[in-house]
Amino acid sequence: MARTKHKFVCQECGYTTPRALGKCPGCEAWDSFAEETELVTTSPLHRSINQRTSQPELISDVSVEDVERQLTGMPEFDGVLGGGIVPGSVILIGGDPGIGKSTLLLQASDALSRKYGSVLYVTGEESVSQTKIRSTRLGLNSDTLYVLCENNLGEIQRHIEKLQPQAVVIDSIQAVYLSDFQSAPGSITQIRECAANLLICAKNQNIPMFLIGHVTKEGTLAGPRVLEHIVDTVLYFEGERHHIYRVLRAVKNRFGSTNELGIFEMQNKGLVDVKNPSQLFLSDRKEEISGSVIVSSMEGTRPLLLEVQALVVSTHYGTPRNTATGIDRNRVALLTAVLNKRIGMDIGDSDIFVNITGGLRVDEPGIDLGVLMAIISNHRNISIDPRTVVIGEVGLGGEIRPVPHVERRIREAAKLGFTRAIFPAYHQKGLEINETIELIGVKNIFDSLSALL
């Protein structure tokens, strides 16, 4: 099967363009373009994912066998994927430059090759020797890990069919191109078509495939939105470059939950799983200072205890500033407005700084009460008991609203030695906590102030 491709060629110098131009950019001749028709064979993109003739089936008659997942040897990574890698799945990983995406997948490739057989690591942005230098630094030296420096998708597919690896890594999808299209690598057409080709290759040969994707300055994956629709799983690798902790979270997963979160520590030998992140995040905490509160955030199914720090100072400029690190600045402005309106604390003429320590970013409203108490604590210069954990969402009326998984949060706090928990009074009924920890339910900001200050 073939398709017709139209192009315009300058009759003076042979310059080719997809549309007619008045003046040739090559020889600057005017009105020199003539239309030509080319017969192009259908690219591998147009093959069916299911190579057999498909027939409709009753869903009740479809039998599903348990799929044996491949394990990377990194429990945090496997947990985010839903318990391991599903054969034939396509996984897209995005993140800021230098955050550790290539390091993570090079370590995973080494572990997979040692356990399951050959793995092909395709690098389109580095040479083979540069990849070898990184693997040496990480202490990786598998006998079945192959490295290929190539960005022509046709050549990459040829090597995949020849090698028949157990997994493939493409670093990165923005560097790969199809010769059928004239657009440059990284363009919308190239990204979409290359991803679709790789999807078909993965499904037909039952090979799991990892794609590394660039992100824009806003932090979203670069390229067409259809890229995220094509793949089976979308992961974001996050973290502050100046902090040692990295967070891997799923925003799409056809084979598992999107509520899981993996936490890693960047060391000289690469990324290491963090087994007890709460303890690490609180290890360097300075106690008995105003503006410091411990909150409990749910990241997926895992409760994390984090320190919120707040600083309230008189502004030296005409317009006060709200500065937030690790939390949405608009959320801080909202909580400040609630303080002003509901309890009459006028700090509108002060600069307010809020920080989530450890380099993590938290979007969950369950830390609202802790942020609010940290601001009040620093404004009044009164410290809060360092063995107290604060949980709750703050409404615009000053009420403390319920949050999910309160029991799990409180158990995690008790396990780490905390002696008191402040949480929404709504959860007091039916709360089953066997650990030794004082439980205080609060209904509004005034109850919280009485309990904490």
Side-chain angles (χ1 to χ4, degrees):
M1 185 177 179
R3 60 184 174 89
T4 302
K5 181 178 180 181
H6 298 275
K7 62 182 179 180
F8 294 84
V9 181
C10 176
Q11 301 302 303
E12 299 291 334
C13 66
Y15 186 92
T16 303
T17 176
R19 63 182 184 276
L21 301 175
K23 182 180 179 181
C24 176
C27 63
E28 298 186 351
W30 287 90
D31 300 323
S32 61
F33 283 94
E35 183 178 3
E36 294 184 4
T37 302
E38 181 182 358
L39 201 62
V40 182
T41 57
T42 305
S43 69
L45 169 65
H46 302 287
R47 293 181 300 169
S48 172
I49 291 179
N50 186 358
Q51 294 180 333
R52 299 172 300 175
T53 303
S54 56
Q55 296 291 338
E57 298 179 66
L58 286 171
I59 193 170
S60 57
D61 295 338
V62 177
S63 60
V64 180
E65 299 178 359
D66 291 335
V67 178
E68 184 177 353
R69 295 177 181 248
Q70 298 176 355
L71 301 179
T72 65
M74 307 172 74
E76 294 291 310
F77 195 6
D78 294 334
V80 175
L81 292 172
I85 305 168
V86 175
S89 60
V90 180
I91 301 161
L92 176 64
I93 299 182
D96 293 334
I99 203 68
K101 304 183 295 296
S102 298
T103 299
L104 174 68
L105 287 183
L106 193 58
Q107 289 183 237
S109 299
D110 182 81
L112 288 170
S113 64
R114 292 175 185 273
K115 189 170 183 179
Y116 299 102
S118 61
V119 172
L120 179 61
Y121 189 98
V122 181
T123 170
E125 300 175 339
E126 294 179 323
S127 65
V128 173
S129 58
Q130 289 174 322
T131 306
K132 173 61 178 178
I133 291 172
R134 183 191 292 117
S135 68
T136 302
R137 176 174 58 84
L138 299 175
L140 310 177
N141 193 24
S142 171
D143 294 332
T144 51
L145 175 58
Y146 293 84
V147 180
L148 173 65
C149 181
E150 181 61 70
N151 56 3
N152 187 321
L153 185 58
E155 289 296 310
I156 293 173
Q157 289 179 310
R158 185 176 66 83
H159 286 291
I160 292 175
E161 292 176 0
K162 179 181 177 181
L163 185 61
Q164 290 295 307
Q166 298 301 307
V168 176
V169 176
I170 306 294
D171 186 4
S172 66
I173 187 62
Q174 275 80 10
V176 180
Y177 72 92
L178 264 172
S179 56
D180 292 346
F181 303 95
Q182 295 183 348
S183 54
S187 63
I188 291 177
T189 301
Q190 289 286 6
I191 292 176
R192 182 183 64 242
E193 303 299 337
C194 289
N197 268 272
L198 291 170
L199 172 73
I200 292 173
C201 178
K203 301 302 181 185
N204 284 340
Q205 301 189 38
N206 204 32
I207 299 173
M209 197 166 294
F210 293 91
L211 311 179
I212 292 179
H214 296 175
V215 295
T216 63
K217 62 182 180 180
E218 290 81 16
T220 58
L221 281 162
R225 194 69 176 181
V226 71
L227 175 62
E228 298 179 51
H229 291 289
I230 288 175
V231 300
D232 299 307
T233 305
V234 179
L235 308 178
Y236 277 90
F237 205 38
E238 305 169 351
E240 298 290 337
R241 293 186 62 180
H242 303 293
H243 288 80
I244 61 174
Y245 301 113
R246 302 287 188 269
V247 176
L248 184 67
R249 67 175 79 238
V251 297
K252 173 187 176 181
N253 192 354
R254 288 173 178 160
F255 308 112
S257 171
T258 56
N259 294 324
E260 296 303 327
L261 182 107
I263 300 178
F264 303 86
E265 181 179 354
M266 181 65 81
Q267 298 181 357
N268 292 333
K269 290 292 185 179
L271 294 161
V272 178
D273 290 358
V274 176
K275 296 180 180 179
N276 193 341
S278 296
Q279 191 171 21
L280 278 178
F281 291 143
L282 303 178
S283 58
D284 296 329
R285 184 192 180 201
K286 185 177 180 180
E287 299 181 352
E288 303 296 341
I289 62 170
S290 64
S292 174
V293 175
I294 301 301
V295 298
S296 180
S297 171
M298 286 300 298
E299 296 294 341
T301 59
R302 168 190 291 175
L304 287 181
L305 267 64
L306 305 167
E307 180 185 5
V308 174
Q309 295 179 334
L311 193 63
V312 182
V313 295
S314 298
T315 184
H316 297 290
Y317 305 96
T319 304
R321 293 180 299 164
N322 280 349
T323 303
T325 303
I327 184 175
D328 185 10
R329 186 177 65 178
N330 294 327
R331 194 71 186 173
V332 175
L334 182 148
L335 295 174
T336 304
V338 171
L339 280 180
N340 186 10
K341 182 69 174 180
R342 300 304 174 188
I343 65 175
M345 182 176 290
D346 187 8
I347 54 177
D349 59 347
S350 301
D351 291 336
I352 302 174
F353 304 88
V354 177
N355 177 44
I356 306 292
T357 61
L360 291 184
R361 179 166 185 82
V362 182
D363 298 322
E364 200 223 346
I367 67 169
D368 283 356
L369 185 57
V371 173
L372 203 67
M373 291 298 109
I375 294 173
I376 297 173
S377 168
N378 188 260
H379 178 66
R380 294 185 176 181
N381 200 26
I382 302 174
S383 62
I384 292 177
D385 179 12
R387 297 290 91 191
T388 299
V389 62
V390 181
I391 306 165
E393 177 184 356
V394 178
L396 295 182
E399 75 278 12
I400 309 303
R401 305 183 65 83
V403 295
H405 307 295
V406 166
E407 289 188 7
R408 198 173 298 173
R409 301 176 198 241
I410 295 176
R411 289 196 184 99
E412 177 71 10
K415 186 167 59 176
L416 293 175
F418 286 82
T419 58
R420 188 168 61 151
I422 309 297
F423 62 97
Y426 172 86
H427 296 290
Q428 283 185 304
K429 295 181 180 180
L431 196 64
E432 297 181 1
I433 302 294
N434 298 323
E435 289 77 4
T436 304
I437 184 171
E438 183 183 0
L439 304 177
I440 301 176
V442 293
K443 295 182 178 180
N444 50 52
I445 300 176
F446 295 102
D447 293 346
S448 306
L449 289 173
S450 301
L452 291 169
L453 301 176

